[in-house]
Amino acid sequence: MTRRYAQSIRVASTLQMSREAWLALRGSGIGSSDAAAAIGLSPYKSPLSLWLEKTGRKVPEDLSAKPAVRWGTVLEPVLAGVYAEETGCRVRRVNAVLRHAEHGFMLANLDRELVGHPDGSGLLEIKTAGYHLAPQWEDGIPVAYQCQVLHQLAVTGHPWADVAVLIGGQDFRVYRVARDEARIADLVRLESRFWRHVQSDLQPDPDGSDDAAAALQWLYPAERGPIVDWTETPEYNALFLQLVQLRERKQAVEAEEARVRQRLQQALGEAAGAICQGGRLSWRKSKDRLVPDLEQMASEHPEWLAAYSKPVPGSRRFLVQAERGGAA
């Protein structure tokens, strides 16, 4: 008999679940923490990286030992208690992986559920953020976390959720997210498109992020074939021409930026900085530092350099050369 939670299906209990079982279950769909990456709104992970994980090509990185994740886990029950004390709402663990009743690829693992509230049952998502991330919360919940909570609301059918965040260890805030059917429909549509890439084993387009670049380097670490001829392929010829034009514009903008910067430096002279209408400038000398003289070491004690040398894997370099000559 199928066990249900609200409008979702209980897939498995998370009590005493092994990491291997958890990874296998996560690979069968898109979890709420995957939602932003799946639709290209995560600042940390690209759709291409997520695709590598969901197709089984790459094992997801274990983040549990990272300080931010570890402290978030340690503080989660504490903050759940603080939320209950400040709001008077009862919080309860769910301890299960949930699956959307219609869109089976949508999974969710909830921090807490909220019961006994005048607005009906809701969800609680708990976050911690360092003081340097405080600006991201000034205008409300960061977009990636909005995607996470909307995904949870889509899976469970609940009408609302609260996001409780502790910023800098002492600034406790609560943000409300009301169910928005239009936004949920958009999220489901975009996640469905990503999942079709997984099912068809077709890579999503790179999004220009550093993470997508790293994913491509991981996927294709070395050349293993000859040079290909694209002269009769309109799509790639158009992309090549676009790249050349973009690089030319970038060089022109960088040259103009350098000219303006140098004029300001010339005006500053020996001043440490300046206050302007839109902000401020700073031009300060960094502290002197000592660095090893590897050239002298190699000359006088080559055996030392050899003893402390290690191989560094090479990486592929992407070079562009237009017909007029000159590498870009």
Side-chain angles (χ1 to χ4, degrees):
M1 181 177 176
T2 301
R3 296 185 62 196
R4 303 186 74 89
Y5 169 81
Q7 295 181 14
S8 64
I9 299 170
R10 285 179 178 263
V11 179
S13 170
T14 55
L15 294 174
Q16 300 180 340
M17 179 181 284
S18 67
R19 174 168 168 77
E20 291 72 21
W22 168 242
L23 287 176
L25 192 52
R26 278 193 62 182
S28 69
I30 300 173
S32 55
S33 60
D34 298 324
I39 66 173
L41 291 178
S42 169
Y44 308 111
K45 182 179 289 187
S46 65
L48 182 57
S49 281
L50 185 63
W51 178 86
L52 289 174
E53 295 174 2
K54 297 303 179 183
T55 56
R57 287 172 167 81
K58 189 176 183 181
V59 177
E61 181 184 1
D62 186 358
L63 303 176
S64 59
K66 291 186 177 294
V69 176
R70 178 171 172 266
W71 282 109
T73 302
V74 169
L75 291 172
E76 181 180 305
V78 177
L79 298 180
V82 172
Y83 172 89
E85 181 179 342
E86 292 199 358
T87 64
C89 187
R90 282 198 300 131
V91 300
R92 186 166 61 190
R93 293 179 181 271
V94 178
N95 297 323
V97 177
L98 309 175
R99 189 185 298 276
H100 196 290
E102 180 182 355
H103 305 286
F105 63 87
M106 296 183 70
L107 305 173
N109 184 25
L110 311 177
D111 284 347
R112 299 290 191 280
E113 66 173 334
L114 302 174
V115 294
H117 194 280
D119 295 335
S121 297
L123 306 176
L124 177 63
E125 181 64 28
I126 301 170
K127 300 295 181 186
T128 55
Y131 68 89
H132 60 287
L133 296 178
Q136 297 183 9
W137 291 86
E138 290 307 312
D139 295 325
I141 305 169
V143 171
Y145 296 148
Q146 292 182 39
C147 294
Q148 181 178 3
V149 174
L150 285 172
H151 179 103
Q152 293 171 349
L153 294 177
V155 171
T156 62
H158 279 311
W160 63 278
D162 274 351
V163 178
V165 57
L166 180 66
I167 301 173
Q170 58 187 13
D171 183 3
F172 184 74
R173 306 180 189 178
V174 177
Y175 296 89
R176 173 63 57 94
V177 179
R179 186 179 184 88
D180 185 325
E181 296 298 345
R183 295 180 68 195
I184 287 176
D186 283 341
L187 181 68
V188 172
R189 175 178 57 82
L190 293 172
E191 287 191 26
S192 298
R193 184 172 66 184
F194 172 82
W195 195 246
R196 285 195 293 272
H197 281 278
V198 175
Q199 291 179 312
S200 62
D201 203 36
L202 181 65
Q203 294 180 29
D205 289 337
D207 60 6
S209 64
D210 291 341
D211 183 75
L216 288 170
Q217 284 284 356
W218 185 91
L219 194 57
Y220 307 114
E223 65 277 16
R224 294 189 175 91
I227 294 176
V228 295
D229 186 353
W230 283 344
T231 55
E232 301 300 325
T233 308
E235 177 185 359
Y236 298 138
N237 280 297
L239 285 174
F240 174 79
L241 179 59
Q242 183 182 10
L243 180 59
V244 170
Q245 293 172 342
L246 287 170
R247 289 195 170 199
E248 289 175 347
R249 283 157 51 189
K250 177 184 176 183
Q251 290 171 355
V253 169
E254 288 177 345
E256 181 64 13
E257 188 266 347
R259 185 186 69 81
V260 173
R261 182 180 67 249
Q262 290 162 11
R263 285 195 61 190
L264 290 168
Q265 289 172 325
Q266 185 181 48
L268 280 174
E270 294 180 339
I275 300 173
C276 303
Q277 288 185 0
R280 60 179 60 215
L281 298 168
S282 176
W283 192 20
R284 299 177 183 272
K285 181 180 180 295
S286 61
K287 292 183 179 180
D288 295 337
R289 58 194 179 96
L290 293 175
V291 296
D293 189 336
L294 298 180
E295 185 176 346
Q296 184 176 357
M297 181 187 293
S299 175
E300 298 179 3
H301 299 284
E303 70 282 3
W304 292 1
L305 194 61
Y308 291 95
S309 297
K310 65 177 182 179
V312 177
S315 60
R316 298 180 71 178
R317 294 183 63 201
F318 186 78
L319 302 177
V320 179
Q321 186 172 359
E323 283 187 352
R324 60 182 178 275

